[in-house]
Amino acid sequence: MRKRMPFISLLLFLFLKPSFSQKIYEVGTGQASLEPDGKFVSLALAGYASPWDGRFTIQWNEKGEIPSFISITGGKNGLYSVDGQSLFRSSLTNPLRWEKVGDAVDIRYISIEENIIIGITSDGHLKKGDLSKKRLKWKEIGITGRSVNAITIAADRLYLADGEGLFWIADISSGKVKWERTGIPLLKEVASLIDVDEKLVALTTKGVLFQQGSTCQHNKWIKIGYKNGITVVEDMAKIAVANHHIYGIDGNNRLYIAEHCSKGDLSARALAIRSGDNIAVIVGLDLTGINNKFAAIVKEELNRKRGLPISAIFINSSHTHFAPVTQNWPTWQESNRLPDSTYLYTTVKEAIINAVCQSLDNVKSAELFFGRGKAQLGYNRSLPDRPDLYDDAVDVIRFRYLHDHSEGYLFMAACHPVLGTIGKLNFSISANFPGVARKLIEEKRGTSCTIFLQGTAGDINPLDDSADVTGEKLANEVIAVLNRPMQQISGAITTFLDTIEVDIDMKSREELLVFIRDEKNNTNVMLAERNQIWGEIMLSHLQNGMKQFSMPVYVHTLNIGNWKLVGFSRETTSPYSFRLKELWPGKMVSVAGYTNDVSSYLPTRLHIDKRNYEGMDSFYWYGMPDTYPLDIEERIISQIQKNNR
């Protein structure tokens, strides 16, 4: 009898183990900031093409009055100015206290890199000095031979903007300088020129800030700020950069430091759930959206670094209209057409990867629970005759750790985060109502682990006019769900990423020209410019021999036990949520839009028939050749049903 006990115990263990393991998961969370830092002078905000002058993150914080100067610049040791006789320096710790550091007789323009200072005299003589020496001595190294509006040094190259808007470059590393025309496009009325992380930034005499674009923008000057009368009311005359801080000086010699106007709540948040060898990672981003090409780059890096299957990484954007541009908007104003590549491929990419890696590194045993509530956050803005087509579900996932009973939450709702278009809020970085909801839940529940996913909000606008009100509504309902009995999640993890190919026929050249020239389509300057740009893009496609345009829809499915999470790419409209939940009646099914790719709207027959914004006009803003075919909803649902993931 004793000999048989171990064998019976083993059988009992093996019998019970699958049942036990399917209810206990390894769960981890991670988060990283998406806030831009000081290396970005200013970034364009996404979400609205209005005002057409643009929405930018910059604001100026006054530091006080400085002495009169002729020229001002920055270096690693502070700000430097000349008054026609002397060179002065103000330390970074106290920019209002100035000390003389050398003579600068007749020096009219200055720029500094490391310890090298370049000065230009009133008659165009170019002089060079070494600030590391005890006594500053100027050595003549050439002449400008042209008018001078502004200069700056970058990587041993001196850039000069002349009075005609042309840009010149000279090597100052050795010997006499030789000037050459640069490939930088014309920019007239330059008042100040600085180098910020190898990008030239110019301030014009009209107070408009421009940044030289990336290679894909053909080095064009892209607007990054202006006097909007709300967050920027100052009349800036000069700018300077010192130790990664941007300073501005107005016409009354008031000194300012540039800051991003922000609530400080943008983040990337990740939830990793593992069962045996299978894993799913859910990422929530406080961004308007990303494109599939970028998502693929991030996923491939996570696959290389951590061995995560591509289909296991689910990336959802909240679609806040108050985050920096992170996707392509080809027909918007030029400052919004492409994201700042440094922000996208450093700040955003690294934040996602860091958040995911954190979540993988801190997994602990936990139980998962599902609950669903309801909250009237919004309404169907495009189908007013169908108020029933609004999914008011608030889905909540609770993960409770076994070792200390601490908790965290993932929650979902469907509503456009567009609240705050009046005054300062319209120009401020903000996670909008999802950020408000997260903060309130964390405060009331004593946790720091909350993740928001955006539902099928393509045609849903908020009922209230305040992010605080909508966020509080959502938070209260999440907490109410947590206070009710929830269904435990159990079972294996499977992940699938499917592509539904849709090819759209290109319009003919004649059709394009008719559209562009139709006065009914060009009712204001903004639409006229958009339509012209859109037409040029389409004509270019035709000239390149394109007859069809690929507009795939990506469907991402995570089965975490008996909970199914389905994510659609694009700005998915609300009927898709209802249709998917009907495919699996009685099951715990959550449906998200804005997943992995946000490159247009995803309408249904109802939207396309009406030719409303979601059904037609939005496709011009996204640079698409046309809307989807009338039967797009049927095609997609039929394919999902066939796949039966």
Side-chain angles (χ1 to χ4, degrees):
M1 189 70 176
R2 289 180 181 174
K3 291 182 179 179
R4 295 188 57 173
M5 281 298 292
F7 179 71
I8 293 171
S9 298
L10 177 62
L11 285 177
L12 187 62
F13 173 77
L14 292 173
F15 177 76
L16 292 175
K17 183 175 184 292
S19 174
F20 173 76
S21 65
Q22 295 304 300
K23 288 189 176 181
I24 305 300
Y25 297 88
E26 295 295 307
V27 177
T29 62
Q31 68 181 73
S33 174
L34 291 171
E35 293 286 326
D37 59 21
K39 65 174 168 281
F40 305 101
V41 181
S42 181
L43 293 169
L45 290 173
Y48 299 107
S50 177
W52 198 241
D53 282 334
R55 296 187 303 138
F56 303 99
T57 64
I58 194 169
Q59 65 178 2
W60 297 99
N61 181 16
E62 186 178 342
K63 308 300 288 185
E65 189 174 348
I66 65 173
S68 296
F69 62 89
I70 294 174
S71 180
I72 192 165
T73 190
K76 65 179 182 179
N77 295 318
L79 294 169
Y80 293 79
S81 70
V82 291
D83 63 359
Q85 294 294 322
S86 304
L87 174 69
F88 299 90
R89 181 180 64 206
S90 179
S91 70
L92 296 172
T93 56
N94 192 341
L96 299 182
R97 184 178 300 163
W98 295 79
E99 60 174 338
K100 180 178 176 179
V101 292
D103 294 326
V105 177
D106 199 33
I107 299 293
R108 316 296 294 180
Y109 300 90
I110 54 171
S111 184
I112 292 170
E113 183 178 59
E114 295 297 327
N115 288 314
I116 299 302
I117 181 170
I118 298 294
I120 298 177
T121 64
S122 58
D123 56 0
H125 286 262
L126 198 62
K127 296 189 175 185
K128 181 178 181 180
D130 187 345
L131 293 172
S132 66
K133 304 295 184 182
K134 287 185 177 180
R135 184 167 176 267
L136 176 62
K137 293 183 179 180
W138 295 96
K139 176 184 177 183
E140 186 166 330
I141 57 173
I143 58 172
T144 59
R146 54 194 48 81
S147 61
V148 182
N149 273 29
I151 61 170
T152 192
I153 308 173
D156 288 330
R157 301 290 189 272
L158 180 65
Y159 291 85
L160 183 151
D162 70 17
E164 297 178 0
L166 301 175
F167 290 83
W168 303 82
I169 190 170
D171 186 346
I172 58 169
S173 59
S174 61
K176 296 286 184 178
V177 301
K178 180 181 178 182
W179 293 99
E180 296 178 0
R181 272 284 309 276
T182 70
I184 300 172
L186 188 80
L187 183 64
K188 292 188 175 182
E189 300 179 326
V190 174
S192 230
L193 193 65
I194 59 175
D195 169 67
V196 181
D197 284 344
E198 300 182 359
K199 287 184 179 179
L200 292 181
V201 176
L203 173 72
T204 70
T205 55
K206 295 179 180 179
V208 182
L209 279 169
F210 289 92
Q211 180 172 281
Q212 194 183 4
S214 60
T215 303
C216 57
Q217 293 165 318
H218 308 291
N219 295 320
K220 291 181 179 178
W221 288 104
I222 307 298
K223 182 160 68 168
I224 59 170
Y226 66 104
K227 182 181 177 181
N228 59 40
I230 297 173
T231 52
V232 179
V233 297
E234 299 81 8
D235 293 306
M236 286 301 154
K238 300 291 180 182
I239 53 174
V241 57
N243 197 25
H244 299 294
H245 290 288
I246 312 301
Y247 292 90
I249 305 94
D250 69 11
N252 295 315
N253 290 338
R254 306 294 296 183
L255 179 70
Y256 301 81
I257 189 167
E259 298 175 343
H260 297 288
C261 187
S262 177
K263 285 190 68 177
D265 59 355
L266 287 197
S267 63
R269 300 181 179 218
L271 173 66
I273 306 173
R274 186 190 298 275
S275 177
D277 294 331
N278 298 319
I279 190 168
V281 179
I282 302 169
V283 180
L285 302 177
D286 292 320
L287 297 175
T288 313
I290 58 174
N291 291 128
N292 184 60
K293 180 180 176 182
F294 173 73
I297 291 170
V298 172
K299 293 183 180 188
E300 286 164 7
E301 184 160 336
L302 285 167
N303 175 261
R304 288 194 304 271
K305 282 187 171 183
R306 305 304 294 262
L308 289 175
I310 301 299
S311 66
I313 310 167
F314 185 105
I315 305 177
N316 178 270
S317 297
S318 72
H319 200 56
T320 174
H321 281 40
F322 305 91
V325 173
T326 48
Q327 64 191 103
N328 298 346
W329 301 98
T331 64
W332 285 30
Q333 57 269 64
E334 198 163 43
S335 56
N336 286 68
R337 290 176 195 168
L338 292 171
D340 183 289
S341 57
T342 304
Y343 179 71
L344 183 64
Y345 289 101
T346 56
T347 304
V348 176
K349 178 170 170 259
E350 290 173 7
I352 296 172
I353 290 170
N354 288 342
V356 171
C357 289
Q358 284 178 42
S359 72
L360 297 173
D361 290 338
N362 68 18
V363 293
K364 296 179 285 290
S365 297
E367 295 175 301
L368 299 176
F369 300 88
F370 174 89
R372 173 169 289 161
K374 290 186 176 183
Q376 197 72 23
L377 305 179
Y379 65 97
N380 197 306
R381 68 188 188 188
S382 66
L383 301 171
D385 55 331
R386 293 294 306 272
D388 56 309
L389 291 180
Y390 162 54
D391 190 352
D392 60 359
V394 176
D395 287 0
V396 182
I397 301 296
R398 164 194 252 151
F399 42 99
R400 184 168 59 202
Y401 292 107
L402 300 185
H403 73 292
D404 62 0
H405 302 294
S406 62
E407 295 185 349
Y409 316 107
L410 179 146
F411 62 103
M412 294 178 58
C415 187
H416 253 73
V418 295
L419 296 156
T421 60
I422 298 174
K424 186 175 181 179
L425 289 175
N426 194 33
F427 297 88
S428 301
I429 298 171
S430 166
N432 211 249
F433 78 81
V436 174
R438 281 197 313 249
K439 184 179 179 182
L440 288 173
I441 295 166
E442 289 169 2
E443 289 174 351
K444 293 181 179 181
R445 299 292 297 192
T447 182
S448 60
C449 302
T450 58
I451 300 167
F452 172 81
L453 297 186
Q454 183 60 267
T456 53
D459 51 359
I460 306 301
N461 263 12
L463 274 173
D464 299 292
D465 59 2
S466 164
D468 290 335
V469 171
T470 302
E472 186 174 7
K473 271 188 182 180
L474 178 55
N476 288 342
E477 184 57 23
V478 170
I479 292 168
V481 171
L482 293 170
N483 288 333
R484 297 194 292 264
M486 301 178 74
Q487 185 172 346
Q488 186 162 14
I489 295 172
S490 63
I493 294 175
T494 56
T495 62
F496 305 93
L497 182 54
D498 296 304
T499 302
I500 299 173
E501 297 289 354
V502 185
D503 291 326
I504 306 298
D505 291 334
M506 297 291 297
K507 296 182 186 296
S508 68
R509 186 175 186 278
E510 291 71 26
E511 289 174 311
L512 292 172
L513 293 176
V514 168
F515 177 84
I516 296 169
R517 296 166 182 169
D518 190 338
E519 290 184 5
K520 292 185 295 184
N521 300 324
N522 302 301
T523 54
N524 57 52
V525 173
M526 183 172 70
L527 288 177
E529 185 173 331
R530 180 203 70 177
N531 294 339
Q532 182 65 38
I533 297 164
W534 177 84
E536 291 170 0
I537 293 171
M538 296 304 117
L539 289 169
S540 175
H541 289 329
L542 289 180
Q543 290 168 3
N544 291 329
M546 187 180 290
K547 296 181 179 179
Q548 288 187 318
F549 193 97
S550 178
M551 288 168 53
V553 177
Y554 307 110
V555 182
H556 201 157
T557 306
L558 304 182
N559 294 304
I560 300 172
N562 48 347
W563 174 51
K564 184 185 293 289
L565 172 62
V566 181
F568 285 97
S569 62
R570 304 182 184 261
E571 293 203 50
T572 312
T573 50
S574 52
Y576 286 93
S577 180
F578 294 110
R579 292 294 301 274
L580 251 70
K581 290 174 182 177
E582 290 169 0
L583 292 181
W584 293 280
K587 290 193 174 182
M588 299 183 294
V589 181
S590 301
V591 186
Y594 306 90
T595 302
N596 299 317
D597 175 71
V598 184
S599 49
S600 80
Y601 276 78
L602 183 57
T604 66
R605 181 184 295 269
L606 293 170
H607 305 90
I608 300 168
D609 264 338
K610 287 182 177 292
R611 283 296 194 263
N612 56 26
Y613 179 75
E614 292 81 3
M616 186 68 239
D617 192 57
S618 64
F619 286 83
Y620 298 117
W621 285 111
Y622 271 104
M624 300 288 115
D626 208 339
T627 187
Y628 278 103
L630 271 173
D631 66 345
I632 184 62
E633 181 184 2
E634 288 75 17
R635 284 197 210 180
I636 290 172
I637 299 301
S638 175
Q639 189 61 53
I640 292 173
Q641 190 170 21
K642 180 181 177 181
N643 291 340
N644 193 27
R645 302 300 197 188

